[in-house]
Amino acid sequence: MNFAKSQDTSQPRRSPIKFPALRVAGQSVDEEITRLSERFDDRFAFAFFFIVLTLLEWFRWWYVLPPNPWLLTVVTTCILVFTAWTIARHRREMANLRLGREGERTVGHALEELRAQGYKVFHDIPAPNFNIDHVIAGPAGIYTIETKTLSKPPRGNPKIIYDGASLWRDDGWRMDKHLAQACAQARWLADLLTQGRRTAYPVRPVVIFPGWWVENVAPKEKHGVWVLNEKALSPFLAHEPAILSSDAVDAVANCL
């Protein structure tokens, strides 16, 4: 799964997504559910606060205790510090998740255009301990697609460089772990598709960085993993030979 991460949080960053992704079916309902859920959480916290105050007052009345603001002050201070830390952490996580969601939707809409070329497109395939962002199956084969939505520096035209074996950003940040993750996902899907079948389906891993310029410095034939942006996948597929029949594509789609 894609979670947007930036390395230097002290510097302002910008989203690589220039235009918002097209809306998906039921998105307005999803947004309304989220809004109501957040309102419920606020109301519950408000009610819980007064329940605690009421219980404390009853405790003091029952045991005839004099007022002791120091204990409550220490407890409240600890709670405020913990709450502030939690809010700051959750805000960062929510910002990363929102950026990652926009990246996945951008890539998802780009993949939908492949249906006209005979491809079956699947999103968010669940696995035991992870998920695959996208899977496509068509004439040129089966591909797992991992979306990595990385924020950009506020200025300049940064790029990602790939030599067929190593992956890094032009500021020196290494990203080889994304290649290993994509390969693991492809192997898992290949094993899944082979279970109970005589035919083994090869699966190619793909890593897409939406909104980034990806410079491939080695011939495509040497790439164990395709590393692209969302606009380059269709041209790459167009230059691949047809290896799956329509019946094979349907069989893979039924399995998924």
Side-chain angles (χ1 to χ4, degrees):
M1 185 177 184
N2 162 54
F3 295 104
K5 296 181 180 179
S6 66
Q7 289 63 57
D8 187 3
T9 56
S10 63
Q11 298 295 325
R13 312 288 293 183
R14 59 186 171 95
S15 171
I17 309 302
K18 294 183 179 179
F19 304 100
L22 298 176
R23 295 177 67 83
V24 298
Q27 184 169 336
S28 295
V29 177
D30 182 54
E31 292 171 351
E32 182 66 13
I33 291 173
T34 301
R35 186 183 67 82
L36 292 177
S37 177
E38 292 175 349
R39 179 181 294 180
F40 171 80
D41 292 341
D42 293 341
R43 298 296 188 273
F44 179 80
F46 186 73
F48 182 76
F49 172 75
F50 279 95
I51 290 174
V52 172
L53 286 182
T54 302
L55 291 175
L56 287 175
E57 286 300 311
W58 275 103
F59 183 82
R60 285 178 52 201
W61 176 81
W62 184 265
Y63 290 99
V64 194
L65 297 176
N68 185 6
W70 288 108
L71 177 60
L72 187 59
T73 299
V74 171
V75 173
T76 302
T77 301
C78 294
I79 292 175
L80 288 176
V81 170
F82 176 76
T83 302
W85 174 79
T86 303
I87 290 174
R89 187 188 65 177
H90 286 178
R91 281 184 174 177
R92 290 193 298 269
E93 292 177 354
M94 288 297 295
N96 289 336
L97 288 172
R98 290 191 181 101
L99 182 60
R101 180 182 61 185
E102 289 303 306
E104 288 195 28
R105 287 180 175 175
T106 297
V107 173
H109 289 305
L111 297 179
E112 289 296 323
E113 299 178 0
L114 296 174
R115 294 187 188 274
Q117 303 174 27
Y119 285 86
K120 305 290 186 180
V121 182
F122 300 88
H123 306 293
D124 200 18
I125 303 296
N129 298 312
F130 60 92
N131 77 308
I132 303 174
D133 293 336
H134 316 277
V135 174
I136 60 172
I142 307 166
Y143 299 80
T144 58
I145 299 172
E146 176 68 14
T147 302
K148 296 298 181 183
T149 312
L150 305 179
S151 57
K152 291 182 174 181
R155 297 181 182 84
N157 296 304
K159 61 183 178 181
I160 291 169
I161 305 169
Y162 180 51
D163 65 1
S166 298
L167 181 66
W168 66 96
R169 211 166 58 182
D170 57 357
D171 62 0
W173 179 46
R174 304 285 298 193
M175 298 184 291
D176 294 341
K177 62 181 180 180
H178 299 329
L179 303 177
Q181 179 185 6
C183 290
Q185 292 178 355
R187 287 193 299 268
W188 177 85
L189 183 61
D191 291 341
L192 176 69
L193 297 176
T194 304
Q195 291 177 5
R197 294 174 175 83
R198 295 181 180 179
T199 303
Y201 294 105
V203 179
R204 177 183 288 276
V206 181
V207 180
I208 291 183
F209 293 91
W212 280 78
W213 174 260
V214 180
E215 180 178 337
N216 287 274
V217 297
K220 186 173 72 171
E221 293 76 17
K222 296 184 178 181
H223 295 181
V225 180
W226 283 1
V227 180
L228 313 164
N229 62 30
E230 74 280 9
K231 298 179 181 179
L233 180 60
S234 182
F236 265 57
L237 292 173
H239 289 86
E240 290 294 299
I243 60 174
L244 290 183
S245 65
S246 59
D247 290 340
V249 172
D250 290 339
V252 171
N254 290 333
C255 179
L256 290 173

